[in-house]
Amino acid sequence: MNHPRATPATPATPETATPTGPEATPQPPGAPAADGTTPAAPALTPAAPANAPLHPATAPIAELHRFLGARLDTTARAWLDRALAEAAAHPGTHGPISVWELRLAEAGRRCGAAHADAARVLILYAAHADTEALTRVYDQGTADERRAVLHALPHLVPGPGARPLVEDALRTNDTRLVAAAVGPYGARHLDAHAWRHAVLKCLFTGVPLDRVADLARRARGDAELARMLGDHADERTAAGRPVPEDLHRARALALAPAEPAPAEPGPAPSSTPSHTTDDPHGKES
């Protein structure tokens, strides 16, 4: 459902102007230069098509840029070039709505449904959208725009400040939003209670657990998750409904022994002799 767009307030200074991690090298479109200026985004260059699609939440920004360059036609590439340049040059609010927010709304029509998520993530990144701006887009946007915001979170928000957006998406029954909410940002910042219920939400709504980022690590040895999954399996069996294979797989992980914590290093060996004296030859007087 489309949400009416209100006049946005001028966004605060972004939490991070240049995200760190694999996205930072090589420099992605719209990244600040060494002198602090923001150059226009480079033109998309067609490349050899890759066999596997890239996920917009996990692929480095530069890889997403190359991915679209290989797949968009000339007209769509030119449009995205302009949209990224506008977002990089005018990341704030200009007039009743930010220029780059208008481009987010056009991305599906301009780049096609298959590439709209990636295009929107690139635009959000080029605009240095901070938590305030991302929240505004999420609150006022369509379901497609909301999903793109969720995909952009791991690229733009280093801390838990955008967790309310993930929690809101998990309260919906839109499987596209639920699947985006259990991506890498949710895996990193949802607490144990919320994350367990996110796994159950996937099972209730039919979202494959392969979409849950970091499932194996977070589920392993989680006795409470194992209990919750067991109760859910019992309820389905009692109702004469099949228990999905995903549930068995997640419960097996939860019942597995937890990974042992790495041993803490012992005290560093002392370079001081065990018996010190003032005599350089070590003899006591």
Side-chain angles (χ1 to χ4, degrees), residues 73-85:
D73 62 27
T74 302
T75 302
R77 282 201 305 272
W79 176 85
L80 187 55
D81 284 341
R82 289 193 299 271
L84 295 177

Side-chain angles (χ1 to χ4, degrees), residues 107-121:
R109 177 166 54 90
R110 298 286 191 169
C111 299
H115 303 310
D117 277 350
R120 289 184 175 113
V121 169

Side-chain angles (χ1 to χ4, degrees), residues 216 219-227 229 249-258:
R220 187 178 180 89
D222 188 335
E224 177 61 14
L225 178 63
R227 182 195 66 76
L229 293 172
R249 182 165 64 90
R251 189 161 185 264
L253 285 169
L255 290 172

Side-chain angles (χ1 to χ4, degrees), residues 212-254:
V212 180
D214 217 7
L215 175 69
R217 182 188 65 82
R218 290 208 62 169
R220 187 178 180 89
D222 188 335
E224 177 61 14
L225 178 63
R227 182 195 66 76
M228 294 168 68
L229 293 172
D231 289 348
H232 183 48
D234 291 344
E235 291 169 3
R236 293 184 67 94
T237 300
R241 301 171 64 194
V243 177
E245 184 58 35
D246 265 359
L247 190 152
H248 292 303
R249 182 165 64 90
R251 189 161 185 264
L253 285 169

Side-chain angles (χ1 to χ4, degrees), residues 35-62:
D35 60 2
T37 61
T38 303
L44 288 169
T45 303
N51 293 328
L54 299 179
H55 195 286
T58 57
I61 290 293

Side-chain angles (χ1 to χ4, degrees), residues 42-277:
L44 288 169
T45 303
N51 293 328
L54 299 179
H55 195 286
T58 57
I61 290 293
E63 289 297 321
L64 281 180
H65 196 237
R66 284 193 287 269
F67 176 81
L68 289 187
R71 285 160 174 76
L72 297 179
D73 62 27
T74 302
T75 302
R77 282 201 305 272
W79 176 85
L80 187 55
D81 284 341
R82 289 193 299 271
L84 295 177
E86 288 172 343
H90 305 289
T93 303
H94 298 267
I97 194 168
S98 301
V99 174
W100 53 267
E101 291 183 63
L102 296 173
R103 302 299 171 251
L104 292 176
E106 297 176 21
R109 177 166 54 90
R110 298 286 191 169
C111 299
H115 303 310
D117 277 350
R120 289 184 175 113
V121 169
L122 288 176
I123 293 169
L124 288 166
Y125 189 90
H128 305 303
D130 62 359
T131 302
E132 180 183 346
L134 292 166
T135 300
R136 184 177 68 247
V137 172
Y138 182 92
D139 288 343
Q140 299 173 2
T142 64
D144 289 340
E145 291 165 19
R146 290 182 170 196
R147 186 174 69 250
V149 167
L150 295 169
H151 288 326
L153 293 181
H155 298 293
L156 288 166
V157 185
R163 188 168 58 200
L165 304 184
V166 174
E167 293 167 345
D168 180 84
L170 288 170
R171 287 192 290 269
T172 73
N173 288 319
D174 186 327
T175 55
R176 299 173 304 164
L177 292 182
V178 172
V182 293
Y185 187 84
R188 223 165 22 234
H189 296 296
L190 288 175
D191 62 29
H193 176 79
W195 186 81
R196 293 178 189 124
H197 281 276
V199 172
L200 284 176
K201 179 78 175 197
C202 289
L203 293 170
F204 277 121
T205 58
V207 173
L209 292 191
D210 286 343
R211 304 296 295 274
V212 180
D214 217 7
L215 175 69
R217 182 188 65 82
R218 290 208 62 169
R220 187 178 180 89
D222 188 335
E224 177 61 14
L225 178 63
R227 182 195 66 76
M228 294 168 68
L229 293 172
D231 289 348
H232 183 48
D234 291 344
E235 291 169 3
R236 293 184 67 94
T237 300
R241 301 171 64 194
V243 177
E245 184 58 35
D246 265 359
L247 190 152
H248 292 303
R249 182 165 64 90
R251 189 161 185 264
L253 285 169
L255 290 172
E259 296 265 344
E264 295 186 4
S270 174
S271 59
T272 305
S274 56
H275 298 286
T276 59
T277 71

